Amino acid sequence: MKYIRWIVLSLLLAGIWCTMRSPDMGEAYARNVYPYISGALSCFSSLFSFSIGDCLIYGSMAGLLAYLVYAIVKKRSWRATAGRMIEYLLWIYVWFYLAWGLNYFRKDFFTRTEIPYAAYSADAFRSFLSTYTDSLNASFVPVEKIDKTLVAEEVKKGYHEIAGRFSLVSPAGYLHPKPMLMPFLMSGVGVLGYMGPFFTEYNLNPDLLPVQYPFTYAHEMAHVLGISSEAEANLYGFLVCSRSGVPEIRFSAYFALLPYVLSNAYGLLSEEEFNEWKETISPEVKDLYNRKVAYWENLYSPFIGEIQSTVYNWFLKGNNIPSGRKNYSEVVALLMALGNTSG
């Protein structure tokens, strides 16, 4: 039995590594395999109100530690103990990539959508800034509370409209967000949400401000629908929310892009031009943005936050996202290529 397990495991690993090296195989997985795997896993996980993926992760960490202590106390062979722990981790590795992770290795956005890549142009970027800022200011509404049921309906409707255009899996009606198992830890590292790959779940931070909820919901759903790129998830989250007829959802889209637009503008404009552009942002938006930053800084733990940021940066770079965490801000380039900043 042991040898059969290792043979099966070896074959699965070989298949995964081959797929990682072939965008065509990665795209075939995303279009023809992932929809069925995600459908089965999400159907099962939707039966539970809590994140079973989080339970698997934290349970695995605790279980491996307990097994190691047990092996030491019982004076078991180090070779046998290490072998079993490595085998378990390899099965988790296989599960991750077969369940969702191979989406990292599908064809890139421009190849898949046949949208031409737009080389940087100073004039085009300034035009984008002007259009975006006008839309941001015009879309502003105070968001004291949010109707989560309405958000779910609007986001799913929006994804049904664009799924075919961007090769996404259409969202199932039973999909629903789940609270994180340890939100205090996630708030401490600045994580607003994440997609649980082991059971096709999407987890939202209960500390989210009302204005952040719609866009974060839509961003994480993009991952559930087969998108690994953070820039693409931002793009689809923006497109879905900015096209909504609900003012609060529409403003959430433009407001969520603001830090990425700020980052791009700071790096591409002169200091004088950057400061002049910032003055065109309405006082109401500036005030809300500053309050949002202060809110999350109060929850943030610099020590564990830096560790998480570094590890996630390595993770992204090791999974076909060469820009690492900077990938989030690349949504601006995608929007400019798409030629759609106003929804």
Side-chain angles (χ1 to χ4, degrees):
M1 184 65 181
K2 174 183 176 181
Y3 295 108
I4 294 176
R5 287 203 319 270
W6 277 100
I7 290 171
V8 172
L9 181 58
S10 298
L11 291 174
L12 290 172
L13 287 170
I16 287 169
W17 293 335
C18 286
T19 304
M20 287 178 173
R21 286 157 178 77
S22 169
D24 286 330
M25 291 179 66
E27 192 63 28
Y29 162 85
R31 291 174 182 259
N32 304 313
V33 179
Y34 176 69
Y36 295 102
I37 292 178
S38 65
L41 291 174
S42 62
C43 185
F44 172 72
S45 63
S46 67
L47 299 175
F48 304 87
S49 61
F50 57 90
S51 173
I52 55 177
D54 280 2
C55 292
L56 173 67
I57 293 171
Y58 294 124
S60 294
M61 294 169 62
L64 287 171
L65 180 59
Y67 179 72
L68 182 59
V69 171
Y70 171 80
I72 293 173
V73 171
K74 293 295 185 179
K75 297 182 179 180
R76 289 182 174 269
S77 164
W78 278 105
R79 184 176 178 179
T81 300
R84 290 187 177 183
M85 293 178 71
I86 290 171
E87 182 186 0
Y88 179 79
L89 290 173
L90 286 174
W91 279 111
I92 292 294
Y93 176 91
V94 166
W95 188 350
F96 169 77
Y97 282 104
L98 288 182
W100 182 80
L102 286 176
N103 285 309
Y104 278 115
F105 302 93
R106 66 189 306 187
K107 293 179 180 178
D108 66 82
F109 172 81
F110 297 103
T111 301
R112 196 171 68 251
T113 61
E114 298 182 347
I115 293 172
Y117 174 78
Y120 172 72
S121 160
D123 289 340
F125 182 68
R126 292 187 182 96
S127 176
F128 164 83
L129 275 183
S130 177
T131 303
Y132 164 75
T133 309
D134 289 345
S135 297
L136 170 69
N137 292 338
S139 67
F140 173 79
V141 289
V143 187
E144 301 300 329
K145 60 181 180 178
I146 202 76
D147 185 336
K148 295 181 179 180
T149 301
L150 181 59
V151 169
E153 294 173 355
E154 287 289 299
V155 170
K156 288 178 182 176
K157 181 179 73 174
Y159 272 115
H160 278 299
E161 293 173 356
I162 70 170
R165 172 70 178 90
F166 296 104
S167 304
L168 308 176
V169 178
S170 292
Y174 53 75
L175 283 172
H176 59 85
K178 296 183 178 183
M180 301 168 172
L181 195 61
M182 295 188 180
F184 64 91
L185 179 61
M186 295 298 103
S187 294
V189 297
V191 173
L192 307 184
Y194 52 83
M195 187 270 182
F198 296 104
F199 292 96
T200 317
E201 300 171 298
Y202 55 115
N203 306 280
L204 302 182
N205 195 325
D207 290 332
L208 280 170
L209 294 170
V211 70
Q212 295 177 294
Y213 185 87
F215 179 83
T216 305
Y217 187 110
H219 173 101
E220 297 307 330
M221 178 167 280
H223 289 313
V224 171
L225 303 185
I227 295 302
S228 57
S229 164
E230 298 295 352
E232 274 198 69
N234 278 342
L235 172 67
Y236 303 137
F238 174 78
L239 292 178
V240 165
C241 290
S242 65
R243 294 176 180 186
S244 171
V246 181
E248 292 82 0
I249 297 177
R250 192 163 55 249
F251 175 59
S252 178
Y254 288 100
F255 186 69
L257 280 193
L258 184 53
Y260 309 122
V261 176
L262 281 166
S263 175
N264 278 264
Y266 182 78
L268 296 172
L269 302 178
S270 67
E271 182 178 356
E272 180 180 0
E273 195 172 8
F274 176 72
N275 289 330
E276 287 178 357
W277 167 69
K278 284 200 303 181
E279 290 305 310
T280 66
I281 302 173
S282 73
E284 295 85 359
V285 172
K286 285 182 181 178
D287 178 64
L288 180 60
Y289 183 79
N290 290 332
R291 285 190 284 120
K292 183 207 74 168
V293 171
Y295 171 79
W296 285 104
E297 283 183 346
N298 186 55
L299 298 174
Y300 187 73
S301 171
F303 176 69
I304 59 174
E306 285 300 314
I307 293 175
Q308 187 272 345
S309 179
T310 300
V311 170
Y312 190 51
N313 194 51
W314 288 344
F315 173 81
L316 289 175
K317 289 185 176 183
N319 281 284
N320 209 33
I321 307 290
S323 56
R325 287 182 59 84
K326 292 180 181 178
N327 182 240
Y328 284 92
S329 294
E330 291 169 5
V331 62
V332 172
L334 298 185
L335 274 170
M336 292 181 66
L338 193 60
N340 187 342
T341 61
S342 61

